[in-house]
Amino acid sequence: MQEFALRGLTADGRAEDFDSFWWFEPFGLDQQEVSDLLPEALNKAQQVVLSTAIERRASHLLDPAEPEGILFVWPTRNSGLTLLVERREGQWAMTSCWPFLTSGSEHDAEIEQIVLAPDRLQAMIEARIGGELGLTYHDYEFAAHRGLYVRGVDHRLVLAGIAHTFGMADTTPVKLSPDAPSFSALSRDGEAVGEDGMITISTTGMAAIFHRPDIAPNAYELRGPVLQVRKTLNEILDQPVWLVRVTVARIGDENDVDVNLDLAVTAAMLGGRPLPEKGDDVEAVIRLQGSIWHPAINVSGSDAAYPSAGHMS
């Protein structure tokens, strides 16, 4: 017998953590401008469904007590506006909307916890990348793909950080004086002490990512070197958007495994400044969003919970 999806994974979140209107700031839209888009969006939107055989095989039943909701996207399936329509007392009502894009960087992840909005149709997903790096992302397709989240099942995700601030990072070297706590350890490890009696630490190429739960559960402050810059095929909500791939962490026993994230940077966030080039160091504050790209990567046909998933590995 299949286990219900979501069981053993969920926690209750706060309504304010899912207040999506500030998510439109990178696209230069205020609340009224978003509201003005809704009539056309609702009339022309496409429904989000489990579209592949792999997804349908990996999906589990939901507990009958879970609410009923449908997701729609506009103007394309790949980017734009997501609209959540919920069934309440027999009537359909649009209850939330947010910007999204399906492009991003791929990551194999363990799902540790799902923090649900009060409507249980939106969620912040707490995942672990490479067994080390914990990241929380907003699953923009959660209401349609809830059945894929099953305890003990890992997924390949596509993640992207929508940049709320973006710019070049300060790469000024850091100087350590002999009274710095780390000075003696670095001296023992062979770091050269300069003529001024200081140790100089380079910050060029440094990768770092910090959780900013004071902003939102899926907010992060980061810096790192640029690997690639490419423009999205279509504008998103009338904004030109570039995907800037950045190394944000290095994990593994020897810190030799790079974790790279695609940052969606709008023209509004650039503010007329030039785009970075490969090798430049950048910094940003992002809202991390994503979805399941390939479900159940750790499940084989021998798992009784997935009797029809024998082709997956």
Side-chain angles (χ1 to χ4, degrees), residues 27-45:
F27 301 92
L29 297 173
D30 61 25
Q31 185 169 339
Q32 183 58 54
E33 290 168 323
V34 174
S35 297
D36 291 343
L37 296 173
L38 298 181
E40 180 181 359
L42 284 166
N43 275 285
K44 297 181 179 180

Side-chain angles (χ1 to χ4, degrees), residues 234-250:
N234 301 306
E235 292 188 352
I236 302 177
L237 301 177
D238 293 328
Q239 278 284 320
V241 176
W242 291 266
L243 292 176
V244 181
R245 182 160 293 184
V246 177
T247 300
V248 300
R250 296 184 176 96

Side-chain angles (χ1 to χ4, degrees), residues 50-177:
L50 295 175
S51 58
T52 68
I54 291 176
E55 289 176 332
R56 291 190 290 271
R57 289 189 181 104
S59 186
H60 281 220
L61 294 174
L62 294 168
D63 188 301
E66 292 294 336
E68 188 176 358
I70 299 176
L71 280 184
F72 297 92
V73 292
W74 170 86
T76 76
R77 184 64 186 85
N78 296 319
S79 64
L81 187 65
T82 302
L83 305 110
L84 174 61
V85 179
E86 182 181 354
R87 195 172 186 86
R88 291 181 172 178
E89 299 179 354
Q91 299 292 320
W92 290 106
M94 201 208 83
T95 55
S96 191
C97 63
W98 52 84
F100 82 101
L101 70 158
T102 58
S103 300
S105 48
E106 295 183 19
H107 303 272
D108 291 354
E110 307 165 50
I111 305 302
E112 297 189 325
Q113 186 168 248
I114 297 171
V115 180
L116 294 171
D119 63 10
R120 298 184 67 86
L121 293 169
Q122 303 173 70
M124 298 289 181
I125 313 298
E126 297 178 2
R128 189 155 299 276
I129 307 298
E132 290 188 39
L133 179 63
L135 293 175
T136 298
Y137 68 96
H138 175 250
D139 186 338
Y140 58 83
E141 295 184 324
F142 179 73
H145 290 178
R146 289 174 288 171
L148 297 176
Y149 287 106
V150 180
R151 182 171 48 190
V153 176
D154 301 343
H155 303 294
R156 181 162 299 145
L157 311 174
V158 170
L159 302 176
I162 297 179
H164 283 249
T165 69
F166 182 83
M168 302 298 289
D170 182 1
T171 56
T172 303
V174 175
K175 286 187 172 289
L176 302 178
S177 62

Side-chain angles (χ1 to χ4, degrees), residues 4-17:
F4 281 126
L6 305 182
R7 280 200 176 168
L9 283 173
T10 63
D12 294 333
R14 305 180 304 167
E16 54 265 37
D17 291 334

